[in-house]
């Protein structure tokens, strides 16, 4: 990436040097203009959408959880 930036910089310096010495001349032969746009009519799109229905509820339940005991090795107290 750095190499590409260096090459672009060198090319720009060469172009500026050639322009200052008169080897390259840029003359504008026609001015720029934005296109004329005419808006008429038209309509927005209409959508008919059928989506699924999701019912979310809660239920209280009792769940058995196994008891876990942890013993460290080497600790016999």
């Amino acid at each position: 990436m750095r190499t590409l930036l260096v090459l672009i910089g060198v090319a720009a310096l060469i172009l500026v040097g050639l322009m200052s010495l008169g080897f390259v001349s840029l003359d504008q032969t026609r001015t720029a203009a934005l296109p004329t746009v005419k808006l008429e009519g038209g309509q927005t799109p209409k959508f008919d959408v059928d989506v699924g229905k999701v019912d979310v509820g809660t239920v209280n339940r009792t769940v058995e959880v196994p008891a876990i005991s942890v013993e460290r090795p080497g600790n016999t107290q």
Side-chain angles (χ1 to χ4, degrees), residues 1-76:
M1 186 69 181
R2 180 179 277 171
T3 305
L4 180 63
L5 291 175
V6 169
L7 288 176
I8 291 173
V10 169
L13 288 175
I14 290 173
L15 180 63
V16 168
L18 291 174
M19 288 176 67
S20 66
L21 294 174
F23 287 108
V24 175
S25 176
L26 298 176
D27 296 322
Q28 185 174 1
T29 58
R30 179 177 41 190
T31 60
L34 294 174
T36 304
V37 178
K38 186 176 181 182
L39 300 176
E40 288 184 9
Q43 69 184 33
T44 59
K46 182 178 179 181
F47 297 97
D48 223 2
V49 179
D50 293 326
V51 295
K53 184 177 179 183
V54 178
D55 290 329
V56 179
T58 60
V59 176
N60 290 333
R61 298 201 182 201
T62 304
V63 178
E64 289 186 33
V65 179
I68 298 175
S69 62
V70 178
E71 296 178 13
R72 291 187 178 186
N75 194 1
T76 57

